[in-house]
Amino acid sequence: MLRTRLLTAAVLVPVTAYCVYLGGITFLALVVLMLTLAEIEFCRLVARDGFRPALAFGLGMVWLFLLDAQFPALKLQYPGLALVVLGSLAWQLFHRQSSPVADWALTVAGGLYLGLCGGCLVGLRAVQPDGLWWTLTVLPAIMAADASAYIAGRAWGRHKLAPALSPAKTWEGYVAGVVGGGLIAALFASIWHGEVGAGTSFSGVHGLILGLLIAVLAPLGDLAVSMIKRQAGAKDSGKIIPGHGGALDRVDSILWAAVIGYYYVQMLTSMILTR
């Protein structure tokens, strides 16, 4: 399992880094692909529990948030969101099955969760002038936190973190993830600071703070998806990524990291502008 995970990471990490570096439509396409797969897996998971969310409307909501983050001048979010929410409700009125209210709620919940958080990831990369460097700090931070938690948990884990949701996770692994995520974010931010130069909010100190916030809070995204999988009676959300399960398994904590990173950077930018 570990060997498969490492081989998969050896392919995915360079591809992801290259897409982040290019930014724009290339990075948007990568995020759209991953979250489209994640939304499909979400709908399949809840379908195992007897629910039938409307996949087309869920995907529409995800794509809407991502396009709005990449092209904010188009102002797609609010009129598009209203149309999707009302359209999905109308769909249930005419295609209702055993649980139409729950089906509608799950349609909106899945699209809102993946789309809103994914929009923060696209928005983070689009931040000017340092979106590239912030994204290349946030993603390594969450990857390092996940890897540190996995390795330390397997080696020294004794005390279960959330046995009802994810029996393999331990407090020892969690602490290692916090340390690993914080240190890697500080390291990468310090390296990128030389590329950014003076006059911006980007620094190793802010990288450390952001890395610690991500490593402390982003595991909740993993546990949230574990909660969904537990109710559905599934071990993984899918099998598309060898050693890592499905796309939803892979992006669960990244989405939380993206939200934390995006709003942390927005806060710093606001502080600089008000000086």
Side-chain angles (χ1 to χ4, degrees), residues 35 38-39 42 62 66 109-119 248 251 255:
L35 293 190
E39 172 66 15
F42 170 78
V62 171
L66 299 182
L112 184 65
Y113 178 59
L114 295 175
L116 183 61
C117 296
L248 186 59
V251 303
L255 293 176

Side-chain angles (χ1 to χ4, degrees), residues 74-241:
L74 297 179
K75 300 185 183 301
L76 297 171
Q77 181 172 316
Y78 289 108
L81 190 59
L83 287 174
V84 172
V85 170
L86 295 180
S88 62
L89 180 56
W91 172 268
Q92 293 298 337
L93 292 176
F94 296 101
H95 298 83
R96 61 185 183 276
Q97 298 186 49
S98 59
S99 53
V101 175
D103 292 343
W104 174 65
L106 286 168
T107 300
V108 174
L112 184 65
Y113 178 59
L114 295 175
L116 183 61
C117 296
C120 287
L121 182 57
V122 174
L124 178 65
R125 176 59 183 89
V127 168
Q128 296 297 328
D130 307 325
L132 169 62
W133 309 112
W134 281 116
T135 307
L136 289 177
T137 300
V138 166
L139 293 182
I142 190 58
M143 287 187 230
D146 285 347
S148 299
Y150 178 79
I151 294 170
R154 284 173 61 92
W156 304 295
R158 297 293 182 273
H159 302 87
K160 301 298 183 182
L161 177 64
L165 297 177
S166 185
K169 287 181 174 53
T170 63
W171 282 104
E172 290 83 358
Y174 176 74
V175 172
V178 171
V179 174
L183 291 179
I184 289 297
L187 173 62
F188 274 73
S190 298
I191 295 172
W192 306 144
H193 182 67
E195 298 288 338
V196 174
T200 72
S201 60
F202 200 89
S203 70
V205 172
H206 284 303
L208 174 63
I209 296 171
L210 179 55
L212 290 174
L213 286 172
I214 288 171
V216 168
L217 297 174
L220 293 174
D222 193 338
L223 291 175
V225 172
S226 293
M227 176 178 67
I228 298 170
K229 290 188 293 187
R230 280 283 171 183
Q231 180 163 327
K235 182 180 183 296
D236 296 313
S237 66
K239 299 180 179 179
I240 196 169
I241 306 176

